[in-house]
Amino acid sequence: MIAMLSRLLTKLHRRSWPETTATVIACKFQGSRMRPTRDRFVGGNWGVLFSYAANDSTYDGTLLSPVEVQAGDTFPIRYDPDN
């Protein structure tokens, strides 16, 4: 129960973080953990390298995506202004 409350508080805190736009630099297939659903298999992992600007600096990051994205695509991202 305490762990669940901690996760909830973390999510609520992150909502107050500033938002900026991240740009995809590259997307590469990282492998698959295929699992069946009703009529298809899902679970591929795409490694996404992205960059974003915050506080007069540019930062890079990575994430796993279940879908392929293209270089140049953008998406909103929140960042911790203290870190």
Side-chain angles (χ1 to χ4, degrees), residues 13-40:
H13 176 74
R14 288 182 182 161
R15 285 184 186 171
S16 68
W17 288 355
E19 186 176 288
T20 190
T21 299
T23 301
V24 175
I25 298 169
C27 181
K28 301 210 184 261
F29 190 68
Q30 299 293 308
S32 178
R33 293 188 188 127
M34 300 302 266
R35 61 188 185 282
T37 63
R38 287 182 180 208
D39 58 352
R40 61 190 171 106

Side-chain angles (χ1 to χ4, degrees), residues 21-79:
T21 299
T23 301
V24 175
I25 298 169
C27 181
K28 301 210 184 261
F29 190 68
Q30 299 293 308
S32 178
R33 293 188 188 127
M34 300 302 266
R35 61 188 185 282
T37 63
R38 287 182 180 208
D39 58 352
R40 61 190 171 106
F41 285 88
V42 296
N45 288 315
W46 295 88
V48 179
L49 175 63
F50 62 91
S51 68
Y52 64 97
N55 300 325
D56 298 322
S57 296
T58 300
Y59 301 94
D60 292 331
T62 59
L63 58 80
L64 287 177
S65 172
V67 296
E68 181 180 15
V69 293
Q70 302 298 313
D73 286 352
T74 61
F75 59 93
I77 187 171
R78 293 191 182 278
Y79 63 92

Side-chain angles (χ1 to χ4, degrees), residues 5-6 8-12 21 27 29 36 42 53 63-64 69 71-72 75 82-83:
L5 179 58
S6 177
L8 176 61
L9 290 173
T10 298
K11 284 183 180 181
L12 289 174
T21 299
C27 181
F29 190 68
V42 296
L63 58 80
L64 287 177
V69 293
F75 59 93
D82 298 326
N83 188 8

